[in-house]
Amino acid sequence: MAQQDYKKQTPGKNNPNNLPGTDEDPKKRPRFNVYWIYGLIFAAIVGYNLFRSASPAGVETNIEAFKELAKQGDVTEIKIIRNKKIVRVFVSKDSISNKPAVYNTVLKKGLYETIIKVDPPQLYFTIGDDKNFTEQMENFRKENPTLKSFSTTYDDEGELFGQIISTLLPILLIGLLFIMMMRKVGGSGGGGGPGGIFNIGKSKATLFDKGTRVNINFGDVAGLDEAKVEVMEIVDFLKNPKKYTALGGKIPKGALLIGPPGTGKTLLAKAVAGEAQVPFFSLSGSDFVEMFVGVGASRVRDLFKQAREKAPCIIFIDEIDAIGRARGKNMMMSNDERENTLNQLLVEMDGFGTDIGIIILAATNRPDVLDNALLRPGRFDRQISIDRPDLVGREAIFKVHLVPIKISQTLDIHKLAEQTPGFAGADIANVCNEAALIAARKGKDAVDMSDFQDAIDRVIGGLEKKNKIILPEEKEIIAYHEAGHAICGWFLEHAYPLLKVTIVPRGTAALGYAQYTPKEQYLYNTDQLTDQLCMTLGGRASEEIFFKKISTGASNDLQQITKMAYAMVTVYGMNAKVGNISFYDPQQENMFTKPYSEETGKMIDEEVRKLVDDAYERTKELLIKHKQEVEILAKELLKTEVLFKSDVEALIGKRPYEEKKVLDIIDNPKDAVIDDPRPGVVSTPA
């Protein structure tokens, strides 16, 4: 019983016998490392300096004994210590050895054995004032003209604490500087972590394993159904490999996510990390880049070394274009560190000694600059295109981002999706957040449709500038300018339906704008593009018709027109004179030379100018025909500053070209007939 009680009183985690003082807990055991050696060296240096700088105490005597020794010629030097009010007397060691009787007389009893051991032998006595002592010494010399000469010096001695401070301070400063340097060299934590010069060739990848899970899954990714199917297959293969290998199939070694910024490439990778039951390495392409030569290739090797130890696993490289740019484009004839890194990555992905079980995911919005060797099958077997979401995708994305937001019951999510064409997932998330902030600023209990309208306006046009001072005549020009856009879009068959027109200034340069709802289409014919040209020229034409002069307000319109007109002539072959020729160069191989002669260039310029002039004349004719409607909208804009589609219908009537077919398709998608772009093919949804 006594032994059991003793065990209860002295428990130990790693002590099977529970003996006192033998607990083998590694956290409690003192660890001997290199810092102990640094500490011992530091203590030795400090001790040596203190011992060396410490002044020997000597043997105490009095001034009379000093004078007796001086008369006998034994004094070699005296040192007057001014701050301590003492005089140190240095005597010859030979005289002490030869005159023991004399020194036993002048010294206190028993101190002869002490002074003979001091090197150099010295005595000391106290004085009241160094000036008085100096006068006494002068008188003593005069009274004893045959006195053997000795030197006299003045000095100050520090106290022991002052000696310690003066000795330790520089050593401590040097030691502190050394420790800081070692921490910087060895990494942020002093233990050789990533970023240190000793570990500069180590990979900076973040590992997500069983202990560090990502709280995002495929349910949080909306509007990317096709891309999700592709990456879900990769995750499913890692979970159930026999399902595919039984039929002789092989898992793709890599998948490249391609798409514009904000479409959800990184979000999809996070979902893969959250769904996959395997280790997930995540890093950026810039993490390989360093100022030192050879570091990028070393980090690639270290990354794949760690991945092989964790296989099967997934490596995700975000913004891979930082290291994957096409080789041979470096203008300087030097050793390109980025190319070395890319070469090592190519070898690790599919080289002579490539291992299986490592899948590479990468994301980029610049696939055109990537090296062809990186894109070939065997490295990136799949290129998953992630485009901007369509109407259905935007509606699904809105539903995901509206989950944490308190929305009004009257909010129409489908209408929000219709009003945000071309918006990516990040833009929709921004709209939802801005709408919540606007509603909170107004003190509302829920976010309604008006808040989302304001948020969309802010994302598209910028911050509303209600206090911006605009002259009345300028405001009138802006009103007629925007009314010209609205009327052209209203009465042109292939123009986009008008959603909203306003003359409230927004952002840095927009004094007003007209918002439309573009159709969800991928092919445009000549009539559609021509109508777009006319609608864009409506503001400039309206100014000329009503004010007989033009302003600088159409600068952005003219930029769009020029770009569109040149594309029609040089890219899409929509000009009879230039012909069915496209000068589009996606690889930018002819950056410094034009793929056509000067004659052809002159003809292109003439045809573009003719195309724009014809569109402008057509726009002026249209606005002159509907001059009354332009004036009605402009005057109403000057009053209310904002007009919606319903307001325009109330003022000038409904739009003559209602898109009934498109509306029927949206309402009844099963009854729609979809034209396939392939010749002679028409498909009907099941």
Side-chain angles (χ1 to χ4, degrees), residues 260 270 422 474 624:
K270 287 181 180 178
E474 286 183 333
I624 291 172

Side-chain angles (χ1 to χ4, degrees), residues 32 92 245 292 503 514 591 596 614 651:
F32 183 83
S92 172
T245 55
F292 303 107
I503 59 172
M591 293 179 61
Y596 47 81
D614 292 345
L651 290 171

Side-chain angles (χ1 to χ4, degrees), residues 669-672 674 683-686:
K670 292 184 178 181
D671 299 331
I674 302 171
S683 56
T684 305

Side-chain angles (χ1 to χ4, degrees), residues 327-491:
R327 292 165 293 178
K329 297 294 181 68
N330 188 14
M331 300 301 294
M332 298 178 62
M333 298 300 294
S334 63
N335 184 17
D336 192 348
E337 171 66 8
R338 180 182 51 76
E339 290 191 3
N340 294 337
T341 307
L342 175 59
N343 289 337
Q344 186 64 41
L345 180 62
L346 295 175
V347 172
E348 294 288 352
M349 290 182 68
D350 188 26
F352 192 79
T354 306
D355 296 328
I356 60 173
I358 302 174
I359 296 175
I360 312 295
L361 278 181
T364 181
N365 51 25
R366 295 290 310 279
D368 55 308
V369 302
L370 295 180
D371 195 277
N372 291 329
L374 190 66
L375 300 177
R376 73 159 175 83
R379 292 197 173 103
F380 284 117
D381 301 280
R382 295 184 178 179
Q383 296 185 23
I384 303 173
S385 179
I386 302 178
D387 299 321
R388 298 183 185 273
D390 56 6
L391 180 63
V392 178
R394 291 196 301 274
E395 188 171 349
I397 294 172
F398 265 111
K399 290 178 180 178
V400 170
H401 290 295
L402 289 176
V403 170
I405 298 176
K406 295 181 180 180
I407 59 175
S408 172
Q409 295 181 354
T410 60
L411 184 67
D412 189 351
I413 301 178
H414 181 76
K415 190 174 182 181
L416 283 177
E418 287 182 336
Q419 293 180 6
T420 52
F423 276 45
D427 299 324
I428 294 174
N430 190 24
V431 167
C432 294
N433 185 59
E434 286 289 345
L437 296 178
I438 291 170
R441 196 179 303 127
K442 295 178 180 178
K444 295 182 178 180
D445 296 330
V447 187
D448 55 24
M449 196 69 183
S450 62
D451 301 318
F452 277 95
Q453 294 283 359
D454 294 340
I456 293 172
D457 289 343
R458 179 163 185 175
V459 171
I460 294 175
L463 182 65
E464 187 174 344
K465 303 288 185 68
K466 291 184 178 180
N467 298 326
K468 196 168 187 177
I469 300 174
I470 300 177
L471 297 175
E473 52 269 24
E474 286 183 333
K475 198 170 184 180
E476 188 178 7
I477 293 173
I478 297 169
Y480 277 90
H481 182 102
E482 299 302 334
H485 283 305
I487 292 299
C488 285
W490 199 260
F491 290 101

Side-chain angles (χ1 to χ4, degrees), residues 17 234 345 478 547 607 630 649:
N17 298 320
I234 295 174
L345 180 62
I478 297 169
F547 299 99
E607 291 301 310
V630 176
E649 287 179 350

Side-chain angles (χ1 to χ4, degrees), residues 525-557:
N525 56 38
T526 309
D527 293 340
Q528 291 171 333
L529 293 178
T530 305
D531 282 359
Q532 293 294 330
L533 283 175
C534 294
M535 185 183 69
T536 311
L537 285 167
R540 168 59 64 91
S542 179
E543 291 180 20
E544 185 177 349
I545 291 170
F546 289 95
F547 299 99
K548 306 303 180 185
K549 51 190 173 183
I550 56 177
S551 70
T552 59
S555 60
N556 186 46
D557 299 335

